[in-house]
Amino acid sequence: MTSTRPRQSLRTEILESRPVNLDGFVEEWPEKGLVAMESDFDPAPSIRVQDGRVVELDGTERADFDFMDTFIADHAIDVASAEASVAIPSAEIARMLIDPGVSRGDVLAVSRGLTPAKILDVVKLMNVVEIMQGMQKMRARRTPANQGHSTSARDNPIQVAADAAEGALRGFAELETTLGVVRYAPLVAIALQVGGQVGRGGVLTQCALEEATELELGMRGITAYAETISIYGTESVFIDGDDTPWSKSFLAAAYASRGIKMRFTSGTGSEVQMGNAEGKSMLYLEIRCILMAKGAGVQGLQNGSISCIGVPGAVPGGLRAVAAENLVASMVDLECASGNDQSFSHSAMRRTARAMPQMLPGTDFVCSGYSSVPNADNMFAGSNFDTDDFDDWNTIQRDFQVDGGLRHVREDEILAARNKAARALQAVFAHLDLPSITDDEVEAATYANSSNDYPLRDVLADLKAAQSVMDREVTGLDLVKALESAGFHDVAENLLTVLRQRVSGDLLQTSAVLTADFTPLSAINDPNDYAGPGTGYRLSGERWEQLKKLRHVTSASNPETEVG
Amino acid sequence: MSTPTATAPDRTVSLREVGPARRGTRPDEVVIALSPAFAGHFTKTIVDVPHAEVLRQLMAGIEEQGVTARLVRVLETADLAAIAHTAARMSGSGISVGILSRGTTMIHQKDLPRLSNLELFPQSPLLDAPVFRMIGSNAAQYAKGEHPQPVPTRNDQMARPRWQAKAALLHLKEFDCIEPGRGPVEVEAVFGPGTAG
Amino acid sequence: MTSASPPTLNAADYPLSINRPELLRTPTGKPITALTMDSVVSGDLSPADLRIAPETLQLQAQLAEASGRPQLAANFRRAAEMTAIPDQEVLAMYNALRPRASTAEQLAALAERLEGTYTAPVCAALVREAAEVYARRGLLARPEAGGDADAGAPAGSPAATPVTTAATAAAARADREEGQPA
């Protein structure tokens, strides 16, 4: 830095040092697709159906369809209603989305016939508050939920088990892990499954890996669901990902054939990030992904930009587009796990604001990965929220009387769950003849915050054992046996009940989760019935009493003490 | 804080084309393959490390191992794996270092599949002068048939919010500098004095 | 399994595990109520007892259809057919459907195998449809490129895109969530 720089005001110096100015912002470049949702280069809506077949889609004749057009035309769009639906003025459809007098089902009757460009045309009319209104009604499951990331920078299974137990206790309905060293996967997936069932019976777990291993762990009952099945909005990027809509559809059926819940993943910004947006806006391409997922018959989608959030986050209107992509997933009747799962901003204010369009109206999973470990341990490269933010999240739920899926839990309950999870894993490892977990490690797990607070494992021995888990074909049933024989009867029962669920297939239906009493809750038996003020999901009763509790609340009856 | 800045006095480099690139015969050379916009349309990496400094460090790292560095510019692709693999197949030792304008770097070897590599440094915002020197040094050691410890990779969770969009923008610009159908060219680095940047 | 025709279900039957457990059987023919801790401990249960039966997937397809979700129902019907295919072959079939992984003849043979060996006409139709689109979009394998480990790898591979850290093609496509920025 040279001394020729002009003098700055003291105020400018302060503003320059604010965290938000560490974030990156760029100008739009619509010709290349570096634009959120308003681009002259996106196609205009159109559709023509002949002999029960779409022959023109958004200005393209069938002969010129790329594979996304073909798949969407042949699988996602209801040809019987398409021409009538596309003919409805976009403003009227946008109004239907926010009109409490129009039911979710009424909207679905129209949206099933819409083309990608028509859907874009509709949501482009909506500001962010209207998008939130739409989400409130269109979310598939009536009761919102949340998903946690439980990972370890050292891939330490004891940490993963303890943090899974705490996360489940705090309210996450799903827990996801992944690895630094991929070969650790079997041990960490076992830890997640065991720890999760200690915290709260019925929590669903997954381990994000490449397709073959992920599917294999699921087939063995070591994990319960999967979501890292990526799809893309242009043919060229889809091919770069070494897949097609048909290969992904086949994979979707493969998961269902093993009774495993599954959702796809997509998000704004991935195509332009990979340099092949074909000159289309981020949201237009994401809508193509959403309709592709719909056509594949997968029950849900993780979207909300996900790992490309830095791209829409950097352009004007980017977070409006991200909120809109969540709405579109919901308005075509898919389960939506709505992002908020990747490091997004240096600014705490901006991090919070980013989540409001999902947290306030509620989505099927407000975060598709709230880091239930410190971000330094988050092997998904960091989330928008982590363990440090638990109390802030709980306070915001209480302030606005909204259900973000979590709750404050007393320290003694948390310590008990962490300790029990570590002991249960200790017993499972012993039963399966895996490298032993010491009492010191159990003690550390009980009180730890991060992976730095644990004794180091013998990594080579663990990796060898991880391989043996695969070679010996250890299954979820072996985990049940181990837990039962070690006296963890309740945990064993919880896990057996989760495994039994795959025989019933109930968790394959849209937006399904398991409640604490093992009732499958999905868009079928818990449909979103929002119809204006006083209807739909309302935070009340026992759940509201839970959310009133915080770490420090002064007692009204005795202000010299705190409640809880 | 993830704000590395230029560590050396700013200097400039220009690349002078000396003809079509050809396969090398010296077993003691590493080919450094530059992307279409490197030291041309662009002059510095995503975190403002001057391309002159990047090249100086890579070459110094190679030469301090007693190995020769040869420069090639790849014009028909901005795909790092393709750039690096093309260069590896031209390298007398079979080892190359490929680099994009924004700084993303890869060490490649001619017998590996194109989508594989020896070492990849994907987080361009974390690459500074000392890292480039270590990359050069490691590439030279591979060329000598040695098995160096991989250059330690760094990770910064906040690189996404700060740099992801700019990286995308630089990627798009680099794509615009592609010259389809033009084969790789041999280039010479002409270093000049620094200008205030 | 009995040969009685399957019952007709509607949304009120969901969840089957609670409202209609009598309809649920394992692929080995056990009722779902037999999946007890006692049977686990006594070793009466095998992993095959914890798989979903094709009949159950057809029931769930009915529920999806009754709930206005025809695509989800179609997915369940494909899945019902796939229950008969061994795990490794399912994965091999998936890999065969990747871009430029199979020739037209190979895809035709795959469709025939699905139809003939596994009585999976809905899956076979999906494969035939893919083959038609792949032919039109240049996504069939080029027969002469077979020996190259790198065959069919697309230009502009994800390995060098800003978002990806992965060092191999497999890891590069594994999951966008694992990608590192910039």
Side-chain angles (χ1 to χ4, degrees), chain A residues 53 62-67 70 75-76 104 112 149 176 178 208-212 215 219 227-228 230-232 235 239-244 246-254 256-259 265-267 270 273-274 294-299 302 305-308 333 341-342 368 380-381 475 477 480-481 484 489 492-493 496 499-506 508-510 512 518-520 522-525, chain C residues 11-12 14-18 24-27 32-33 35-37 40-41 43 45-47 49-53 56-57 59-61 63-64 67-73 75-76 78-80 82-91 93-94 97-100 110 114 123 126-127 129-130 132-134 136-137 139 152 154-158 161-164 170-182:
Chain A
R53 205 169 195 222
R62 188 166 186 101
D64 302 320
F65 281 1
D66 66 12
F67 73 32
T70 305
H75 294 274
R104 179 171 193 273
R112 74 178 79 247
H149 283 161
E176 176 184 25
T178 194
L209 296 164
E210 49 81 27
E211 294 96 339
L215 183 56
M219 286 168 173
E227 78 178 357
T228 51
S230 297
I231 58 171
Y232 303 96
E235 185 177 284
I239 294 168
D240 283 358
D242 203 14
D243 265 300
T244 73
W246 289 266
S247 65
K248 286 297 198 207
S249 299
F250 193 89
L251 190 62
S257 74
R258 270 58 186 171
T265 291
S266 60
S270 62
Q273 176 90 53
M274 296 211 186
K294 170 87 175 167
V298 65
Q299 63 84 31
Q302 167 182 238
S305 195
I306 314 303
S307 66
C308 292
D333 201 23
D341 61 342
Q342 296 277 303
S368 47
F380 293 103
T475 69
L477 213 47
V480 175
K481 276 184 213 164
E484 179 69 17
H489 178 72
E493 274 293 351
L496 179 59
L499 292 174
R500 200 188 287 134
Q501 270 304 327
R502 75 177 47 198
V503 176
S504 78
D506 284 336
L508 301 178
Q509 297 288 353
T510 302
F518 297 98
T519 305
S522 78
I524 298 184
N525 62 338
Chain C
Y14 182 91
L16 301 182
S17 55
I18 291 173
L24 300 174
R25 289 184 170 266
T26 69
I32 193 169
T33 47
L35 305 178
T36 62
M37 189 60 74
V40 174
V41 172
L45 288 189
S46 73
D49 293 312
L50 289 171
R51 298 181 81 129
I52 192 165
T56 306
L57 282 158
L59 296 177
Q60 294 291 354
L63 291 177
S67 311
R69 301 188 173 98
Q71 290 95 345
L72 185 60
N75 181 44
F76 293 161
R78 286 192 286 270
M82 271 187 213
T83 54
I85 310 173
D87 295 351
Q88 287 314 309
E89 190 169 359
V90 167
L91 281 170
M93 289 174 167
Y94 163 56
L97 280 168
R98 292 183 188 273
R100 303 189 185 108
L110 172 55
L114 282 163
C123 290
L126 186 79
V127 171
E129 184 187 317
E132 194 186 310
V133 178
Y134 292 6
R136 188 165 57 79
R137 302 300 295 173
L139 296 175
S157 70
T161 59
V163 76
T164 315
R173 67 165 182 266
D175 173 22
R176 196 183 312 160
E177 265 198 321
E178 288 168 343
Q180 303 287 317

Side-chain angles (χ1 to χ4, degrees), chain B:
Chain B
M1 204 63 54
S2 60
T3 52
T5 49
T7 49
D10 282 356
R11 39 164 86 205
T12 61
V13 63
S14 58
L15 299 178
R16 198 165 58 84
E17 289 189 15
V18 296
R22 51 181 59 95
R23 190 178 295 252
T25 51
R26 304 177 52 155
D28 63 340
E29 72 166 6
V30 167
V31 173
I32 300 176
L34 309 169
S35 64
F38 191 97
H41 185 84
F42 289 119
T43 60
K44 53 194 183 179
T45 72
I46 191 169
V47 287
D48 295 343
V49 181
H51 285 167
E53 180 68 6
V54 172
L55 273 186
R56 197 174 70 84
Q57 295 292 351
L58 282 175
M59 292 166 82
I62 291 169
E63 283 157 11
E64 74 193 10
Q65 292 288 331
V67 172
T68 304
R70 184 157 66 97
L71 299 183
V72 160
R73 186 198 286 290
V74 175
L75 289 154
E76 63 179 354
T77 176
D79 175 319
L80 180 58
I83 289 170
H85 199 234
T86 299
R89 283 179 295 160
M90 294 188 155
S91 167
S93 67
I95 300 295
S96 71
V97 177
I99 180 162
L100 300 179
S101 297
R102 67 177 178 279
T104 315
T105 302
M106 177 187 281
I107 305 177
H108 219 318
Q109 201 268 338
K110 70 174 166 56
D111 296 325
L112 290 172
R114 184 165 58 83
L115 291 183
S116 184
N117 59 68
L118 288 172
E119 294 184 47
L120 171 64
F121 307 89
Q123 289 220 12
S124 53
L126 302 178
L127 304 185
D128 54 15
V131 174
F132 284 117
R133 195 173 191 104
M134 285 188 277
I135 292 171
S137 171
N138 265 24
Q141 291 175 62
Y142 289 117
K144 292 194 288 184
E146 296 170 7
H147 300 279
Q149 285 289 316
V151 177
T153 53
R154 288 186 271 173
N155 198 353
D156 174 11
Q157 304 197 328
M158 297 315 278
R160 181 199 323 278
R162 184 168 178 109
W163 300 113
Q164 190 175 34
K166 186 173 178 185
L169 193 51
L170 295 174
H171 194 56
L172 295 173
K173 284 283 180 197
E174 184 115 79
F175 261 74
D176 268 7
C177 295
I178 289 173
E179 296 180 37
R182 270 202 76 190
V185 292
E186 195 99 19
V187 292
E188 269 177 16
V190 182
F191 291 98
T195 52

Side-chain angles (χ1 to χ4, degrees), chain A residues 251-262:
Chain A
L251 190 62
Y255 273 97
S257 74
R258 270 58 186 171
I260 305 167
K261 171 178 178 168
M262 198 268 263

Side-chain angles (χ1 to χ4, degrees), chain C residues 1-48:
Chain C
M1 285 288 137
T2 63
S3 58
S5 62
T8 305
L9 301 183
N10 60 48
D13 292 304
Y14 182 91
L16 301 182
S17 55
I18 291 173
N19 294 337
R20 301 299 299 272
E22 76 280 6
L23 299 177
L24 300 174
R25 289 184 170 266
T26 69
T28 48
K30 295 189 174 98
I32 193 169
T33 47
L35 305 178
T36 62
M37 189 60 74
D38 286 346
S39 61
V40 174
V41 172
S42 65
D44 289 346
L45 288 189
S46 73

